[in-house]
Amino acid sequence: MKNSNDPSREHGEGRPMPEDRFEEPADGTTRDRVMSSILHHGPSTAAQLADRLGLTPAAVRRHLSALGESGQIASREQRVFGSRGRGRPSRVFYLTDSGRADYYTAYDELAISALTQLAAAAGPDALAAVAQARVDDIEARYRRLRDVKPDQDPAETLAECLSADGYVASLEPAVAGAQICQHNCPVAEVAKVFPELCEVETRLFAELLGSNVQRLATIAHGDGVCTTHVPVDVEITRKRIAGAPVAD
């Protein structure tokens, strides 16, 4: 007779227990998949990761525990907008600087070295020009997409453009507005040395959205996600409530 604690126990007529159904060994390959999923989808709960990766929540938690012990991920309470149900809030897991470092390459060091030499030789104006040239591509993509999807929320369009540029962006609801969340930053290591890259990007957001946006957090400063608050347009909201037409 098998012990009830025997991991090889079966459920019903020869079927594996649900807990063992999608089990994978606790190796580096699966942990890489967990980290990659967080990178591309943003901070995630254990249940969300289990669903994406075809693993049991228990298996995911073991990998999360190991990644947390190695300093590659950290967790915080999940932000909930609107009324929250009973019980403790879920925890979401996000990549730390150490975890993100695995996705950066020697090209970062090359870019930092090149920009340092450029600033020394040609001054801050040359560095500003490089930063502006980088966001010009985002602006051009945004304007093309606005022509194709004129009825889409401009902030949603901007998030879509940023994702196409490797930022893995999403638009999330927030008090008195919304937040553009960039879950990845291809130039994070460079932006740590040259914050001008973030500053030019924020000014572009304000220009494209016609709003006084506020940068709340950046990966370059050690935050898990680059977060930009887009305040609600009070005048547009007033017109919509009154049933008046709103111009694009």
Side-chain angles (χ1 to χ4, degrees), residues 39-72:
L39 175 71
H40 289 92
H41 293 89
S44 307
T45 64
Q48 289 169 336
L49 288 165
D51 185 59
R52 288 187 212 126
L53 301 176
L55 297 171
T56 64
V60 168
R61 290 190 190 96
R62 285 198 291 275
H63 292 300
L64 291 172
S65 177
L67 290 168
E69 290 176 3
S70 66
Q72 292 170 287

Side-chain angles (χ1 to χ4, degrees), residues 192-203:
K192 287 179 182 180
V193 182
F194 299 102
E196 293 91 339
L197 297 178
C198 297
E199 294 165 6
V200 170
E201 185 180 273
T202 304
R203 288 198 296 270

Side-chain angles (χ1 to χ4, degrees), residues 97 198 201-202 215-228:
D97 280 350
C198 297
E201 185 180 273
T202 304
R215 184 60 64 94
L216 303 178
T218 65
I219 294 172
H221 289 166
D223 300 301
V225 179
C226 292
T227 307
T228 304

Side-chain angles (χ1 to χ4, degrees), residues 68-184:
E69 290 176 3
S70 66
Q72 292 170 287
I73 66 167
S75 68
R76 59 170 170 76
E77 286 189 359
Q78 185 176 33
R79 298 189 183 96
V80 178
F81 298 97
S83 60
R84 187 169 68 189
R86 295 180 178 179
R88 297 172 57 185
S90 299
R91 298 199 70 78
V92 292
F93 298 84
Y94 60 90
L95 299 185
T96 63
D97 280 350
S98 175
R100 290 181 184 279
D102 292 341
Y103 296 93
Y104 300 131
T105 69
Y107 290 112
D108 294 315
E109 296 180 6
L110 177 61
I112 291 170
S113 176
L115 290 177
T116 299
Q117 293 181 44
L118 176 65
D125 288 345
L127 185 59
V130 171
Q132 184 61 50
R134 175 166 180 78
V135 300
D136 283 347
D137 290 340
I138 297 174
E139 179 179 3
R141 185 180 293 112
Y142 172 84
R143 297 196 183 283
R144 288 195 300 269
L145 194 56
R146 283 291 288 163
D147 290 338
V148 175
K149 302 178 179 180
D151 297 329
Q152 180 171 271
D153 184 333
E156 184 70 42
T157 301
L158 179 55
E160 189 173 333
C161 293
L162 290 168
S163 290
D165 213 35
Y167 288 91
V168 194
S170 63
L171 187 66
E172 306 294 340
V175 176
Q179 291 181 351
I180 297 175
C181 299
Q182 295 159 253
H183 304 292
N184 183 46

